[in-house]
Amino acid sequence: MKDFIIFTPSHVVLNNISLLFSGKEYFMSVDHAEIYISKKENKESFFKIRDIPSIIESYDSEELDFVYENISSSFNMYLCNYRSVEFAKHIINIIAKKISVVVDNDFDQLMTGEEFLRRTMQEPDWDWTR
């Protein structure tokens, strides 16, 4: 299992994110601190979003400045776990189309949701985990 972090504006809570996946295409489980999403036809491709505020302690001021500049001075951080890079890319694209986000790929790269969308459209085979 792999993981990365997404930052959202503080008004975006897990329930807001879960609404983006309420269609018939996905199986979803939601509680106050976690969302689990999978494709109905392939539950092996899962994506989990967890609210773990203590993660902020692992960020330096330069990284947080990037988030402040691109989200706001008030934000939420969510730990995302996944197995399939392609499914994770698909989920983040859905989120980034509707919500202003910053993605930390856990390999020393922070990017805005707009950058993430643009890159995945221009380079469909791009492995953003490297």
Side-chain angles (χ1 to χ4, degrees), residues 77-117:
M77 302 175 68
Y78 297 108
L79 176 64
C80 302
N81 303 111
Y82 63 98
R83 187 172 293 146
S84 161
V85 170
E86 287 306 310
F87 189 62
K89 207 170 10 175
H90 171 75
I91 296 296
I92 293 303
N93 279 337
I94 290 171
I95 293 170
K97 285 177 184 174
K98 300 286 185 180
I99 298 170
S100 181
V101 297
V102 168
V103 178
D104 175 355
N105 73 348
D106 202 29
F107 294 92
D108 297 324
Q109 184 177 14
L110 291 171
M111 66 178 59
T112 65
E114 291 171 351
E115 289 176 86
F116 190 91
L117 283 167

Side-chain angles (χ1 to χ4, degrees), residues 18-31:
S18 71
L19 294 174
L20 300 175
F21 301 96
S22 59
K24 296 179 182 180
E25 183 179 349
Y26 302 98
F27 168 80
M28 185 173 44
S29 171
V30 182
D31 69 26

Side-chain angles (χ1 to χ4, degrees), residues 12-98:
V12 176
V13 295
L14 287 174
N15 192 49
N16 300 120
I17 296 170
S18 71
L19 294 174
L20 300 175
F21 301 96
S22 59
K24 296 179 182 180
E25 183 179 349
Y26 302 98
F27 168 80
M28 185 173 44
S29 171
V30 182
D31 69 26
H32 70 284
E34 180 177 285
I35 302 172
Y36 174 91
I37 304 166
S38 67
K39 287 263 193 178
K40 284 194 174 175
E41 73 275 358
N42 182 5
K43 292 190 179 169
E44 291 299 312
S45 290
F46 73 89
F47 189 85
K48 192 184 302 183
I49 304 172
R50 295 185 297 160
D51 186 5
I52 305 178
S54 62
I55 294 172
I56 196 166
E57 297 167 7
S58 64
Y59 284 87
D60 64 35
S61 61
E62 189 175 301
E63 293 168 318
L64 292 175
D65 286 345
F66 182 83
V67 176
Y68 295 141
E69 291 169 14
N70 290 284
I71 298 288
S72 75
S73 60
S74 179
F75 56 82
N76 292 325
M77 302 175 68
Y78 297 108
L79 176 64
C80 302
N81 303 111
Y82 63 98
R83 187 172 293 146
S84 161
V85 170
E86 287 306 310
F87 189 62
K89 207 170 10 175
H90 171 75
I91 296 296
I92 293 303
N93 279 337
I94 290 171
I95 293 170
K97 285 177 184 174
K98 300 286 185 180

